[in-house]
Amino acid sequence: MKITSAAVDTVRRPSAGLVVLIYHRVGQRTPVEVDLPRSLFEEQMAFLAAETTVVTLSDGLARVADPGAGRTQLVAVTFDDGTADFAEVAVPILAAHGVPATLYVATDFVERGVPFPDGGAALSWDALRDTLSTGLVEVGSHTHGHALLDRLPAAEVDGELDRSIELIGDRLGVQPSHFAYPKAVMGSPVADAAIRARFASAAVAGTRVNAYGSTDPYRLARSPLQVSDGMRWFRRKAAGGLGFEDTVRRALNRRRYTGATT
């Protein structure tokens, strides 16, 4: 599938804009495909620092919305969930290479100290607070309980979002500006309106570039990284490629997540 997707890229080249990369876990403490080896993640961050223009998510969004901005290809790094390896493994590597990152936190897991699915230990508020002191980490919301907002009852949407915002503010002293839909599944019209009223952006699915002048920040596309990407396919994703692979994956995930609520 990756080879086919790369062939599609040669015909339909990615446009210039902001590439947003999604990570989940680093350190291979769990057997899931999104738990990258430390050495691979370090090599990827070294590549980004040396070969690309890395920006914060906030700066990247501002630049692609600016009609007067140059057409430089930009890359932003994001993490989902809030597992302990983010503070213990990923942040020291990010700091060593000067790469900023946005962490979208599912606050219920952090607040109660319960593990994420597939054995991902939740980080603590103290550890997350320490990551903020590096000046490289921005915290966003990933809902409170990792709820899928396309199937959460409309009456519960506000509470799901507001509890997350409240905890991030109370525990960290910051106001989250950015939001990521759990499992990159778009929410209901009620959820969309609630998110637009609370956040500056909302991330969804789509391995593609967020183009200059035509990006809806509430439909922010992100490119997921997996162990099997290695460096070969990582380089292509960092350049905004492999969109066809993501289209196929999303079609499969629509079946996979049928009936799920988180």
Side-chain angles (χ1 to χ4, degrees):
M1 183 57 65
K2 293 182 190 299
I3 293 173
T4 301
S5 188
V8 172
D9 289 341
T10 63
V11 177
R12 190 173 56 211
R13 291 187 175 278
S15 58
L18 173 64
V19 177
V20 184
L21 304 176
I22 313 174
Y23 290 92
H24 286 82
R25 303 177 190 177
V26 180
Q28 280 198 316
R29 299 175 177 182
T30 59
V32 294
E33 177 69 0
V34 293
D35 194 343
L36 274 63
R38 179 196 300 257
S39 59
L40 176 59
F41 180 71
E42 182 147 26
E43 188 175 2
Q44 291 177 354
M45 294 306 101
F47 172 84
L48 292 182
E51 304 293 337
T52 73
T53 301
V54 185
V55 293
T56 66
L57 183 61
S58 293
D59 185 36
L61 287 169
R63 290 172 68 171
V64 297
D66 181 0
R71 294 304 190 253
T72 303
Q73 192 78 312
L74 310 171
V75 181
V77 172
T78 67
F79 279 78
D80 281 4
D81 298 337
T83 49
D85 55 272
F86 175 75
E88 296 168 4
V89 184
V91 168
I93 294 171
L94 293 169
H97 296 284
V99 174
T102 297
L103 171 65
Y104 295 107
V105 180
T107 50
D108 184 44
F109 296 86
V110 178
E111 179 71 4
R112 295 191 295 126
V114 297
F116 287 89
D118 300 312
L123 53 63
S124 67
W125 288 117
D126 284 344
L128 186 47
R129 198 175 297 112
D130 287 344
T131 71
L132 295 182
S133 69
T134 65
L136 292 171
V137 175
E138 182 175 28
V139 175
S141 171
H142 202 35
T143 74
H144 181 54
H146 205 268
L148 299 184
L149 297 184
D150 64 331
R151 57 205 71 181
L152 189 71
E156 297 178 20
V157 169
D158 284 351
E160 180 72 17
L161 300 177
D162 289 340
R163 182 57 175 154
S164 173
I165 294 169
E166 176 186 64
L167 281 171
I168 292 170
D170 287 349
R171 303 295 186 260
L172 302 176
V174 298
Q175 179 76 13
S177 297
H178 304 293
F179 178 82
Y181 285 96
K183 294 186 169 70
V185 175
M186 274 293 301
S188 64
V190 168
D192 177 62
I195 288 162
R196 287 174 183 267
R198 290 165 171 80
F199 300 99
S201 75
V204 295
T207 301
R208 64 180 184 275
V209 177
N210 298 283
Y212 283 94
S214 61
T215 290
D216 179 350
Y218 296 95
R219 299 290 186 273
L220 187 65
R222 295 193 295 161
S223 304
L225 275 302
Q226 301 174 310
V227 176
S228 58
D229 288 323
M231 284 301 295
R232 177 186 181 186
W233 304 115
F234 164 78
R235 289 187 180 94
R236 287 188 175 271
K237 287 186 176 181
L242 298 192
F244 180 72
E245 178 194 32
D246 182 69
T247 299
V248 174
R249 181 186 295 112
R250 279 186 285 158
L252 294 174
N253 282 346
R254 278 195 289 271
R255 294 184 181 183
R256 178 184 174 192
Y257 298 139
T258 299
T261 57
T262 62

